[in-house]
Amino acid sequence: MRPKDTASVDGRTYRRGKTVELHSGDFIRIMNILEDDYTGDTFLQGFRLRRLSQCRRLFDQHLNELTMVFEETNADIQTSESGSMEVVSSFEVLRIRDVILTNAAFSSFSCREDASNSMLPRDVLRDQGRLVCRWKLKVSIRPQSNGRQWIEKSVSGLTATEADVKFRLDDEHLRRRWRGITIKKGSCASWLRGERDFDLRERSLHRDLLTPPESDRVGRRTQRYTFGDAFCGAGGCSRGAKSAGLRVVWGFDSNLASIDSYAKNFFGARCEATPADVFLSVLNDNFCVDVLHLSPPCQPYSPAHTRLGKDDEMNEATFFAVGEIIKKSKPRVVTLENTFGLAQRRPEWMDAMVRFFTALGFSVRWRVLNLAQYGVPQARRRLVVIASWYVPLALQEC
């Protein structure tokens, strides 16, 4: 195969940067044009794009919106995107389409935004109107004897450098649209009165849990990221956040005994012994945090849950509070932990959760991990989700 700058086949001229629609319904963003040395056939190499309607309910459904699709058939999730380019024959091409890549949120630049399209029927717009790609969907696959198993999945918004020049926005501008001006190194710039003394007493009681170098470093830090813990229990995740130097601002759980323990361990944190719906009714700007953790009830989705329980309906309903908690607390980063059964036994619920994130403009990444590899004294498989607002999981930019 030899590369070419352009190629004309069946009256269509192909160039780098153009996008073609395939007979399969997918699209290819052309990055290279190749010609077979022996047959003279033309092949197009580029990134595969797919309509959001074909992506298992991971996105809100909008006409003519696309996502790039990357699939790695090995365990190395760090494979470069250039290695994910596909090669298709020009015989697979149905037509050339107008497709733009942008990092702007919907509905900027969409086909409906063009006034000349306002009166066109939906089927005409689908076949002829502008298409817009704002997302990348990546799946890492492990081949098995009985088929294939996914290792990790992620959905991320395009960055400014990945967007077309005429349709890119500054990433900082996008962050400000979500939660206003952000402060590097964290929103908490001071210590509460009595907080240092509380931490000193705590470290003196638990010297085996906090090594002196780490505790001293955290103790001297002034600028800190703020942390909120939804469905916090007694505060296991908040403890990890505090040990990492974050300022624990609030936590809530419906279990009164758990909140009583939580309040005694996190100085100055607002502790609410309340169900999620009641907590949402009092959530306001004072609950905004840099990092939000969510551990919604996992019993309905657990493989160990073999018969109906009295709280199943309430626990499932609680799941729908996730989107509103994110929307009102406006975090920079969200972490979520749940049973692996959510992803493997109830994929429709998993898709719904991812859609909570993408509907708000979050990039999200998820994987099932065996926590025994991280020091838990049992083989405990858990679903771990990390999300950041629009700029794909770039914590250094927070």
Side-chain angles (χ1 to χ4, degrees), residues 283-344:
L283 207 59
N284 53 42
D285 291 342
N286 295 327
F287 285 87
C288 287
V289 290
D290 296 321
V291 181
L292 170 67
H293 179 73
L294 299 144
S295 292
C298 62
Q299 292 89 340
Y301 322 109
S302 172
H305 190 69
T306 58
R307 58 182 179 179
L308 295 177
K310 65 181 181 64
D311 295 328
D312 283 357
E313 185 175 349
M314 179 185 69
N315 287 337
E316 287 189 348
T318 298
F319 188 84
F320 291 99
V322 167
E324 285 300 311
I325 293 171
I326 297 171
K327 189 184 299 183
K328 289 193 173 184
S329 58
K330 295 190 179 300
R332 310 183 195 194
V333 176
V334 180
T335 60
L336 185 146
E337 172 267 343
N338 211 288
T339 172
F340 74 94
L342 177 60
Q344 298 184 0

Side-chain angles (χ1 to χ4, degrees), residues 7-205:
S8 296
V9 180
D10 297 331
R12 292 188 288 262
T13 300
Y14 303 120
R15 294 186 179 88
R16 294 187 185 92
K18 279 193 172 184
T19 305
V20 296
E21 182 176 1
L22 307 179
H23 288 285
S24 66
D26 283 352
F27 306 82
I28 294 291
R29 181 78 165 192
I30 301 173
M31 304 303 293
N32 296 299
I33 302 169
L34 308 171
E35 183 177 85
D36 191 294
D37 293 328
Y38 297 101
T39 65
D41 292 338
T42 298
F43 294 85
L44 308 175
Q45 184 182 42
F47 298 116
R48 183 171 292 268
L49 290 80
R50 185 167 295 157
R51 291 184 184 271
L52 299 190
S53 58
Q54 303 298 316
C55 296
R56 293 198 60 210
R57 307 178 298 277
L58 297 177
F59 305 91
D60 283 346
Q61 300 303 296
H62 300 296
L63 182 65
N64 286 9
E65 294 285 313
L66 310 176
T67 178
M68 285 187 181
V69 180
F70 301 99
E71 184 174 293
E72 307 297 346
T73 54
N74 56 64
D76 182 10
I77 61 175
Q78 301 299 327
T79 302
S80 67
E81 291 177 3
S82 60
S84 296
M85 289 196 295
E86 301 184 32
V87 177
V88 300
S89 168
S90 60
F91 296 113
E92 299 179 54
V93 175
L94 176 62
R95 53 195 162 190
I96 295 175
R97 294 296 300 268
D98 176 21
V99 177
I100 66 169
L101 307 184
T102 180
N103 63 329
F106 181 85
S107 60
S108 297
F109 311 123
S110 68
C111 64
R112 292 290 189 184
E113 191 180 62
D114 188 346
S116 63
N117 292 334
S118 60
M119 302 301 293
L120 293 178
R122 183 181 179 89
D123 58 341
V124 174
L125 275 177
R126 179 183 173 87
D127 291 340
Q128 302 177 17
R130 168 192 287 172
L131 297 117
V132 183
C133 178
R134 312 173 195 273
W135 297 97
K136 295 180 295 185
L137 171 61
K138 299 182 182 180
V139 183
S140 179
I141 301 290
R142 177 188 292 121
Q144 293 183 325
S145 58
N146 59 346
R148 302 190 306 170
Q149 179 187 25
W150 66 269
I151 303 169
E152 178 175 301
K153 297 182 181 181
S154 69
V155 176
S156 56
L158 298 183
T159 63
T161 56
E162 294 168 326
D164 293 335
V165 174
K166 294 181 180 180
F167 301 100
R168 65 177 53 160
L169 297 179
D170 181 68
D171 289 334
E172 177 62 24
H173 169 75
L174 294 174
R175 277 194 293 270
R176 292 188 180 189
R177 285 187 56 186
W178 171 238
R179 53 174 284 142
I181 297 175
T182 56
I183 303 172
K184 289 188 176 182
K185 299 184 180 181
S187 300
C188 180
S190 63
W191 290 70
L192 299 177
R193 178 176 296 180
E195 184 181 359
R196 291 183 185 275
D197 292 338
F198 179 90
D199 286 356
L200 286 172
R201 290 194 301 271
E202 184 179 66
R203 288 199 292 274
S204 68
L205 293 173

